[in-house]
Amino acid sequence: MLKQNDLSQRFSEHLVQLQQHVRQILESHFLQGIWIHAGVSYRYFQDDLTAPFKINPHFNYFFPYAKAENSWLYLDGVNKPKIYFYAPQDYWHCAPTPPTEAFFSEAFDWVIFHDAQDIAKWIENPTACLFIGEDEELAKSLGFGAINSQKALNILHFARSIKTEFEIEQLYQAQFPALNGHHAAKQAFLEGRSEREIHLAYLQASGQLESELPYGNIVALNAHAAILHYTELELFAPSSRHSFLIDAGATHLNYASDITRTYAADPQSEFAALIKAVDGFKHEIIQQMHVGVNYLQYHTQMHQWMAKLLHDFDFVRLSPEQIFEEGISRAFFPHGLGHLLGLQVHDVGGFMQNARGTQKRPPEAYPSLRCLRDLQPGMVLTIEPGFYFIEMLLAPWKSSHLGYTFNWHKIADFSAYGGIRSEDNIVIRPEGAENLTEKALITLNA
Ligand code: GLY
Ligand code: MN
Ligand code: MN
């Protein structure tokens, strides 16, 4: 991990870049400043309880601290950003503590306030300012001249899709707790534990609370692996163990990791060979990635490999070319190859082509693809090929004119395994992709 001084240095370089985006927004809007509200936690209906607080990611982009409920940032693109840190006097709850000694503290001017209403008195000339945050009613009541303008959000979203070195470091650090969790989860699977027990082993080893995870852990035994976002966590272990798919991440300064592994109970089984093949595809495609190439090209390449796998493992008795052309691989690999990763696990900007917000739509054949960007240095992405036996997607093929080419007996046998996904996190560098997950794993095993 970087020393405090180096981290401070990286953070100031990060802020220099962000200030440029602020100036771009202000100049294009003829405005003076931007106020970003961190947000407040959601209160359940007819209750005095709230959901865990989830901070406005734009706030977090500038101020790398997630426990800042109801705080505000003021940015004019020239002066030090100003943090209005809300620290209520509250003996019922643990009020947010202002991080005044952190590596980023000196990069801000500080106002610490105790009464939420006070913010109004610091917002001078609100009609010349832009508000970014969830509570648009609050923004209106405070008299802001612009509220969540799409043009400004486009600039920020596009900027967020190319990570600074400071951000890449946090995304790298987020690999470690996740990999520790994955290691413990694998042991728990081998010991015959239930999904819930495996999940708890993951939390314990990763040192993360459930509320700190970037998404709900997917801990799927046997056929559950065919449910792409399975989050049930069954209490009891199944009577027989065939397979285990775990898709689980962690956060570091609220930057996410998103890692998936699949295991076969019997390492000599054909299912284990399938896992090896999918893993191999992941590594192969990562090696091929280059600046300037559109992500769709790699997604399409992956389908061609999946088509070959369907042929080679005798699931479909057509040539790999026919399997691909007929779209059969889409029934077995129904999600995208991956997505941008950052402060949000499915990070913003996957379809954007420029800071003006021009969007590309996914092709009809691949509606779930979340990234249509030309690769650029600084992009952080997941690569997550998957191969599943999903009844709902196979049924139409059964009754189709090509139904006779499928090896339905074998497919039925393999349904007990659910499916396979192998997911790593990469950063695009000028010379190609760097695998952050693998790099962290090598460090852990050294
Ligand atoms: N964990 C959700 C995903 O892989 O996209
Ligand atoms: Mn995932
Ligand atoms: Mn993912």
Side-chain angles (χ1 to χ4, degrees):
M1 207 178 304
L2 288 180
K3 292 204 195 77
Q4 177 106 346
N5 276 352
D6 298 333
L7 202 51
S8 299
Q9 178 59 28
R10 288 235 173 124
F11 181 70
S12 6
E13 289 158 11
H14 168 79
L15 259 191
V16 167
Q17 288 203 27
L18 270 52
Q19 290 279 52
Q20 285 176 16
H21 306 311
V22 172
R23 288 197 294 277
Q24 191 187 348
I25 291 172
L26 294 177
E27 281 159 23
S28 62
H29 287 71
F30 304 101
L31 290 171
Q32 273 176 12
I34 305 177
W35 285 88
I36 308 183
H37 186 213
V40 295
S41 46
Y42 169 76
R43 190 185 288 268
Y44 296 119
F45 184 56
Q46 298 284 298
D47 207 328
D48 63 355
L49 294 181
T50 58
F53 174 60
K54 201 131 173 69
I55 200 160
N56 171 358
H58 290 300
F59 182 96
N60 225 185
Y61 186 41
F62 288 87
F63 190 77
Y65 188 77
K67 290 183 182 165
E69 183 166 355
N70 216 356
S71 288
W72 293 74
L73 269 174
Y74 178 70
L75 308 150
D76 65 10
V78 180
N79 295 297
K80 256 192 191 185
K82 198 157 186 171
I83 173 78
Y84 293 82
F85 196 92
Y86 179 57
Q89 286 174 330
D90 178 354
Y91 54 85
W92 287 99
H93 309 98
C94 224
T97 338
T100 47
E101 305 280 315
F103 68 88
F104 54 86
S105 306
E106 286 188 8
F108 295 87
D109 276 338
W110 285 78
V111 175
I112 297 170
F113 68 113
H114 310 296
D115 181 349
Q117 312 297 324
D118 279 355
I119 195 70
K121 68 183 186 212
W122 290 301
I123 302 174
E124 288 168 19
N125 204 2
T127 52
C129 290
L130 164 70
F131 169 91
I132 296 177
E134 189 180 6
D135 193 343
E136 299 197 347
E137 289 309 312
L138 171 67
K140 280 182 204 155
S141 73
L142 290 166
F144 283 104
I147 297 173
N148 291 330
S149 115
Q150 193 55 51
K151 205 158 119 184
L153 292 178
N154 286 341
I155 292 171
L156 285 178
H157 287 172
F158 196 68
R160 278 177 51 195
S161 68
I162 309 292
K163 270 64 184 177
T164 61
E165 285 303 321
F166 167 76
E167 295 185 285
I168 293 167
E169 175 64 24
Q170 309 325 313
L171 288 155
Y172 174 58
Q173 291 303 332
Q175 305 296 312
F176 290 92
L179 287 171
N180 287 332
H182 273 269
H183 180 74
K186 179 185 177 185
Q187 298 311 315
F189 164 64
L190 295 176
E191 288 164 14
R193 307 267 175 220
S194 71
E195 290 169 348
R196 195 169 293 214
E197 287 168 328
I198 297 172
H199 171 66
L200 291 172
Y202 180 93
L203 292 180
Q204 173 80 32
S206 67
Q208 301 249 311
L209 296 176
E210 194 123 22
S211 57
E212 291 167 328
L213 298 177
Y215 54 91
N217 278 354
I218 297 167
V219 178
L221 291 172
N222 298 342
H224 291 159
I227 302 166
L228 299 182
H229 282 173
Y230 173 81
T231 49
E232 279 304 301
L233 299 171
E234 267 189 12
L235 188 52
F236 300 107
S239 51
S240 53
R241 274 183 317 131
H242 306 295
S243 62
F244 170 44
L245 182 154
I246 173 162
D247 183 341
T251 51
H252 186 82
L253 293 184
N254 230 21
Y255 283 87
S257 55
D258 178 8
I259 300 172
T260 309
R261 295 289 181 265
T262 309
Y263 305 99
D266 174 3
Q268 306 308 324
S269 61
E270 200 178 1
F271 185 70
L274 269 177
I275 295 176
K276 206 164 164 213
V278 174
D279 257 336
F281 293 164
K282 177 187 71 183
H283 290 297
E284 184 74 28
I285 209 95
I286 290 173
Q287 282 198 346
Q288 290 192 6
M289 298 189 115
H290 277 298
V291 168
V293 179
N294 195 281
Y295 195 75
L296 175 61
Q297 189 165 317
Y298 300 111
H299 176 81
T300 310
Q301 172 70 73
M302 188 56 72
H303 270 279
Q304 285 163 343
W305 290 345
M306 288 296 177
K308 184 164 183 320
L309 181 136
L310 284 166
H311 168 86
D312 291 353
F313 280 78
D314 195 34
F315 286 113
V316 181
R317 290 162 179 165
L318 287 171
S319 72
E321 293 74 21
Q322 279 173 298
I323 294 173
F324 173 73
E325 291 302 333
E326 295 287 349
I328 294 171
S329 59
R330 287 183 249 151
F332 293 88
F333 172 33
H335 57 72
L337 178 62
H339 48 86
L340 292 171
L341 182 71
L343 286 166
Q344 287 163 279
V345 67
H346 296 153
D347 212 17
V348 286
F351 300 126
M352 296 181 86
Q353 303 303 304
N354 51 46
R356 292 187 308 284
T358 311
Q359 305 270 334
K360 247 187 200 168
R361 280 178 194 282
E364 227 165 89
Y366 305 124
S368 303
L369 185 58
R370 290 175 191 268
C371 183
L372 289 164
R373 294 287 294 266
D374 289 347
L375 298 184
Q376 255 177 271
M379 276 183 182
V380 175
L381 294 147
T382 69
I383 300 297
E384 48 183 305
F387 184 80
Y388 313 85
F389 302 93
I390 302 174
E391 173 68 32
M392 204 185 298
L393 300 179
L394 293 170
W397 284 106
K398 207 163 207 170
S399 52
S400 81
H401 70 291
L402 289 174
Y404 74 96
T405 67
F406 285 59
N407 185 349
W408 293 112
H409 286 299
K410 185 163 182 175
I411 290 172
D413 287 347
F414 273 74
S415 297
Y417 297 99
I420 299 164
R421 182 158 67 254
S422 182
E423 178 174 27
D424 283 358
N425 306 157
I426 60 159
V427 55
I428 305 298
R429 299 293 191 187
E431 60 281 5
E434 180 186 0
N435 189 331
L436 296 175
T437 310
E438 206 165 67
K439 184 171 146 191
L441 203 51
I442 290 167
T443 310
L444 276 177
N445 292 334

